[in-house]
Amino acid sequence: MTENKHSGNLSPEFALLGFLIAGQSHGYDLHQKFTAELGHVWHLSQSQAYAILKRLETRGDISAHIVEQEKLPARQMLRITAQGRKRFFEWLELGIGTNARSIRLEFLTRLFFAQLHRPESISQIYRSQTNEIESSIVKLETLIEHLPPEQVYNRLSLDLRLQQLRLIQNWMAEIRTQFHISRI
Amino acid sequence: MTENKHSGNLSPEFALLGFLIAGQSHGYDLHQKFTAELGHVWHLSQSQAYAILKRLETRGDISAHIVEQEKLPARQMLRITAQGRKRFFEWLELGIGTNARSIRLEFLTRLFFAQLHRPESISQIYRSQTNEIESSIVKLETLIEHLPPEQVYNRLSLDLRLQQLRLIQNWMAEIRTQFHISRI
DNA sequence: AGATATATACTCATCCAGTGAGTATATATG
DNA sequence: CATATATACTCACTGGATGAGTATATATCT
């Protein structure tokens, strides 16, 4: 019940969708953009990118049509569908991460695309994330309190997680000033 | 080049091996032990545990033999092989994690088993981990320095990672006192 | 006595994550 | 002239993870 139970740790998927909101593109280009803009947030290999795009297509979030090129290999031009657009904005405004890693990854990714496509909802996204952190800090604190004292390693692990969450609070407070996000 | 590039993020595997060092056991029991002792360090579902054990068997790290029971379903009794033992102790003394998550997970797991099976090498394990952190802090700092200023999100991500590494340094210093690990 | 919950012990189908190598061509650089 | 880099994508394979299913035994509650 600790990690890995992502209601969806799937944001490279959403990031690819997010780049397609701005207009049609193809796998190679999307991967390039991704690496340039979010390469230190996530790592996404080229083949992974293609795999995800394939999945998005079979799901109906994007549509592909082949564009022949005279000299270079043909491109699969990709467009986001109405369904994909819907899924993307749902993720953008509703998704929240609760552990250090997923906050760094998911939250930053959401912030990036909110800035691009929905600047007006940034403060709402920000607030729902901070609330989430607040409440998971409380949960962790009570968990630690009630942990049998002989569970040394579990305690050390939870302690570090708690400290990491507090660190993230400070980091987010800095983001608030950097992005001029108003309180409430 | 940021996350996910674990030379092996495989420590639940090694943890299962580690429990088998103490003597033969079976899947159900190993999963129970795991959850009780490291359940807040890792999450490992029962079916995952069985899947990993199956893999360890085909690799030759453990051997299985069926023990019929009168009333309850038969058990697959598992024993660690010489090869498995070798792999385990190599991991115990050589493995190192470099990001926040893998340190929390892997390092704590190694510490747990070192305490059980190799208390004399704890201080060596501890030191190689702190050295690793030290050097990855340095790497991160130079990376951040040379990051083009327009890469706002990459910078935020790396900043947080850096702060997390510093946090881990403090956390590990506390572990040193708690476990009476000598410096050098 | 009967119902329900919990513990024992494991299997299976399914999907997502991730790597590494391969294929093929074009243009730029030494 | 050779080599490196950029364009554009495919494939095979392994590992990670969940959720549900199977089957029986014992303990607990009413």
Side-chain angles (χ1 to χ4, degrees):
Chain A
M1 65 142 303
T2 315
E3 204 99 5
N4 296 340
K5 52 151 12 183
H6 18 241
S7 46
N9 175 24
L10 312 164
S11 24
E13 189 176 307
F14 289 106
L16 291 173
L17 275 185
F19 283 114
L20 283 169
I21 297 270
Q24 64 173 0
S25 182
H26 55 102
Y28 187 87
D29 179 55
L30 288 169
H31 178 251
Q32 296 280 101
K33 277 185 186 142
F34 187 104
T35 310
E37 309 255 27
L38 300 169
H40 290 284
V41 182
W42 304 89
H43 170 72
L44 182 67
S45 71
Q46 207 192 24
S47 43
Q48 248 309 84
Y50 281 105
I52 290 170
L53 290 170
K54 185 89 20 175
R55 194 165 67 236
L56 287 173
E57 198 198 334
T58 61
R59 255 201 221 140
D61 290 337
I62 62 179
S63 70
H65 51 115
I66 290 161
V67 177
E68 298 291 342
Q69 298 186 109
E70 291 214 359
K71 313 211 158 173
L72 286 166
R75 283 171 173 167
Q76 290 246 83
M77 262 304 178
L78 305 171
R79 279 191 204 133
I80 191 163
T81 63
Q83 181 193 311
R85 192 176 295 268
K86 190 168 161 255
R87 286 230 309 140
F88 175 77
F89 285 109
E90 276 169 15
W91 167 79
L92 191 61
E93 305 198 349
L94 293 174
I96 25 156
T98 173
N99 63 351
R101 189 171 180 262
S102 90
I103 288 164
R104 204 182 78 237
L105 304 179
E106 294 242 19
F107 174 69
L108 274 182
T109 309
R110 282 209 305 282
L111 197 61
F112 174 78
F113 285 110
Q115 194 93 71
L116 267 181
H117 304 312
R118 282 276 168 93
E120 70 276 14
S121 59
I122 284 183
S123 88
Q124 189 257 309
I125 291 170
Y126 180 87
R127 249 177 306 123
S128 83
Q129 182 69 66
T130 49
N131 289 343
E132 186 69 13
I133 291 169
E134 193 58 60
S135 86
S136 67
I137 283 179
V138 172
K139 256 185 234 156
L140 251 186
E141 282 172 340
T142 60
L143 218 178
I144 290 171
E145 247 179 79
H146 296 108
L147 197 72
E150 72 274 14
Q151 294 196 25
V152 181
Y153 297 89
N154 281 334
R155 176 173 301 268
L156 282 172
S157 176
L158 296 176
D159 275 348
L160 180 55
R161 297 233 296 150
L162 182 58
Q163 289 182 50
Q164 283 182 331
L165 285 175
R166 297 221 175 95
L167 179 67
I168 284 172
Q169 280 187 318
N170 297 332
W171 175 79
M172 288 197 60
E174 269 217 31
I175 287 180
R176 207 194 55 235
T177 58
Q178 249 190 71
F179 285 73
H180 310 291
I181 300 168
S182 63
R183 305 162 187 251
I184 299 166
Chain B
M1 68 142 302
T2 315
E3 203 97 6
N4 295 341
K5 52 151 11 182
H6 17 242
S7 48
N9 175 23
L10 313 163
S11 23
E13 188 177 309
F14 289 106
L16 292 172
L17 275 185
F19 283 114
L20 283 169
I21 297 271
Q24 63 172 1
S25 182
H26 55 102
Y28 186 88
D29 180 55
L30 287 170
H31 178 252
Q32 296 280 100
K33 276 184 186 146
F34 187 103
T35 309
E37 309 256 26
L38 300 170
H40 289 284
V41 183
W42 305 88
H43 170 72
L44 181 67
S45 70
Q46 206 193 25
S47 42
Q48 246 312 81
Y50 281 106
I52 290 169
L53 290 170
K54 185 85 25 173
R55 193 165 69 236
L56 288 172
E57 199 197 335
T58 60
R59 255 201 221 139
D61 290 337
I62 62 179
S63 70
H65 50 116
I66 290 160
V67 178
E68 299 291 342
Q69 297 187 108
E70 291 214 359
K71 312 211 157 172
L72 285 166
R75 284 172 173 168
Q76 290 245 84
M77 263 304 178
L78 305 171
R79 278 189 205 136
I80 192 164
T81 63
Q83 181 194 311
R85 192 176 295 268
K86 191 170 159 254
R87 285 230 310 142
F88 174 78
F89 284 110
E90 275 168 15
W91 167 79
L92 190 62
E93 306 200 346
L94 293 173
I96 25 156
T98 173
N99 62 352
R101 189 172 181 259
S102 89
I103 287 165
R104 206 183 76 236
L105 304 179
E106 293 241 19
F107 174 69
L108 275 182
T109 309
R110 282 210 303 283
L111 196 62
F112 174 79
F113 286 110
Q115 193 94 71
L116 267 181
H117 305 312
R118 282 276 168 94
E120 70 276 16
S121 58
I122 284 184
S123 87
Q124 191 259 309
I125 291 170
Y126 179 87
R127 251 178 305 123
S128 81
Q129 181 69 65
T130 47
N131 290 343
E132 186 69 13
I133 291 170
E134 193 59 59
S135 85
S136 67
I137 282 179
V138 172
K139 257 184 234 156
L140 251 185
E141 282 172 338
T142 60
L143 218 177
I144 290 172
E145 245 180 83
H146 296 108
L147 198 71
E150 72 273 14
Q151 295 196 25
V152 181
Y153 297 88
N154 280 336
R155 177 175 299 271
L156 283 171
S157 175
L158 296 176
D159 275 347
L160 180 55
R161 298 233 295 149
L162 183 58
Q163 289 182 50
Q164 283 183 330
L165 285 176
R166 297 222 175 94
L167 178 67
I168 285 171
Q169 280 187 319
N170 297 332
W171 176 79
M172 288 198 60
E174 268 218 29
I175 287 180
R176 206 193 58 233
T177 58
Q178 247 190 72
F179 284 75
H180 310 290
I181 299 168
S182 64
R183 307 164 187 250
I184 302 167

